[in-house]
Structure formats: C-alpha cells, structure tokens
Amino acid sequence: MKYWIVRTKWNDDGEQIDRFLSENIWQNGYSDKYVESVNNISVDDILLIANGSYIEYYGVCTHNALNGKTIEVEKWKKLTESIYIPAKGNYIKTISQLNNKTYINRIDEYIKTGELIQSLSIKSLKTTNFMSLPNKKLSLSSGINIFIGENGSGKSQVLKLLYGVLDANNELAIEKEE
C-alpha cells in the first residue's frame, strides 16, 4: 500500500474539491504532467487531499482508469483534525508519494481509530554534566515555554537538548516500523 498526497486546485478551472468529494474521485488537472505517478496508484492505496501543507481528507483507491487522469475512491473521509506535512520549497506538486514513516504511522493510526496520535510532550528535563548545565532540572509547561537568561547561561543548550530528544524519538519510531 502506498500513500499519495494530491491537490485539488487546477490552474485554469480553479478549486475542484467539492466535485471530487461529491463524485468520490480525484483527477489530475494536467494532460501532459504526472501521468506516470497517477498510473502508479493501485487499488487500496491511500490518497490524501492536501490544502497547502495540511492533509484534510483521505480516501482508499477502488479503481484506477490508467489514463493518467482519474482515480476512484471508496469515499472521501474528512479528518477531525488536519495533519500538518511541511511542503519543501514554494512549489507544491499536484501529486506526490508520501514516504515519511512518521507521517504514514500517524495516518494509519487515524484510519484505524479515527483519532490522531497525540503529540509527544516533555514535562521535565534533568541534566547531568551536560555542557553548561551541570546538574539541572527544568519543569516545562504544556503550552509555550520561554527561556530567559544572560549570554552563556544555557538557553541554546536546553533547546539543542530538547531537539535531540525529539529527533531521537522520531528515529526510534521509524526504526521500530522497519
């Protein structure tokens, strides 16, 4: 099973999402571009309608006409909460295959349960001889945390440490799936 991010706005004809949702289809707005990608969609592949960088709907492919144009889906289903998937660069392709296992896992979980996986949150951080933070314990709020201090007090080290923890968590989740 593959996952495809698809767009619904055609340059000449405008936004197509209402038609796609009512007809349970997705169509490539080009006659000479993305034909191979569209033809690579198989029955049971997941199509994800994106508006900008947000996935808002998903559907399961039931038929591919293999004309580089039209895909039929079982029924488009609206996510209760959009999934943010950052777009690279300013240009967003009409169709692209999603390969990021972290996002695929979130989407799979949503399809199974109807709920998105809750975000990871860090409640506290304890350091032992870490850079300029020898033995510190920080309690973090569930909202926004602001670090204030003089130069060299360890603000950047705390942020680097938090980034490292989150990045390692994402890598472990990906390795667990492989």
Side-chain angles (χ1 to χ4, degrees):
M1 176 178 3
K2 294 177 270 183
Y3 299 78
W4 301 89
I5 297 174
V6 296
R7 309 292 171 181
T8 59
K9 187 170 184 176
W10 293 357
N11 289 338
D12 296 336
D13 297 327
E15 182 60 62
Q16 301 293 313
I17 192 163
D18 290 336
R19 184 171 70 85
F20 292 171
L21 295 176
S22 67
E23 295 178 19
N24 289 316
I25 62 166
W26 176 80
Q27 287 184 324
N28 179 7
Y30 297 96
S31 57
D32 59 343
K33 291 168 82 175
Y34 309 115
V35 171
E36 186 177 335
S37 293
V38 174
N39 287 341
N40 282 328
I41 296 174
S42 301
V43 170
D44 293 331
D45 282 359
I46 306 292
L47 277 71
L48 307 159
I49 292 180
N51 182 5
S53 293
Y54 292 89
I55 303 296
E56 297 180 337
Y57 294 89
Y58 75 94
V60 179
C61 174
T62 57
H63 178 72
N64 185 342
L66 296 176
N67 60 6
K69 190 94 172 151
T70 304
I71 303 295
E72 295 176 24
V73 298
E74 182 179 342
K75 179 170 176 40
W76 289 111
K77 296 177 184 167
K78 184 164 180 53
L79 300 174
T80 54
E81 182 181 332
S82 298
I83 299 174
Y84 176 73
I85 297 182
K88 293 182 179 177
N90 293 329
Y91 179 71
I92 299 173
K93 288 174 61 174
T94 295
I95 181 171
S96 57
Q97 187 175 349
L98 179 64
N99 294 312
N100 183 303
K101 291 202 184 266
T102 300
Y103 293 121
I104 289 172
N105 290 341
R106 287 188 75 202
I107 292 161
D108 277 345
E109 186 65 25
Y110 182 86
I111 291 170
K112 288 177 193 164
T113 66
E115 297 178 7
L116 289 176
I117 298 170
Q118 295 301 311
S119 302
L120 174 68
S121 64
I122 300 173
K123 295 179 180 178
S124 66
L125 186 68
K126 182 179 177 184
T127 64
T128 305
N129 296 325
F130 181 77
M131 301 175 89
S132 66
L133 307 167
N135 296 307
K136 299 280 183 185
K137 181 168 184 186
L138 291 168
S139 295
L140 303 170
S141 72
S142 61
I144 296 173
N145 292 272
I146 299 173
F147 300 98
I148 300 172
E150 295 181 20
N151 288 343
S153 62
K155 301 179 301 290
S156 294
Q157 280 94 16
V158 168
L159 294 176
K160 288 176 184 176
L161 183 58
L162 290 170
Y163 174 81
V165 168
L166 293 171
D167 191 46
N169 181 69
N170 288 340
E171 290 298 320
L172 286 173
I174 290 169
E175 286 177 19
K176 200 181 266 187
E177 288 299 313
E178 292 175 345

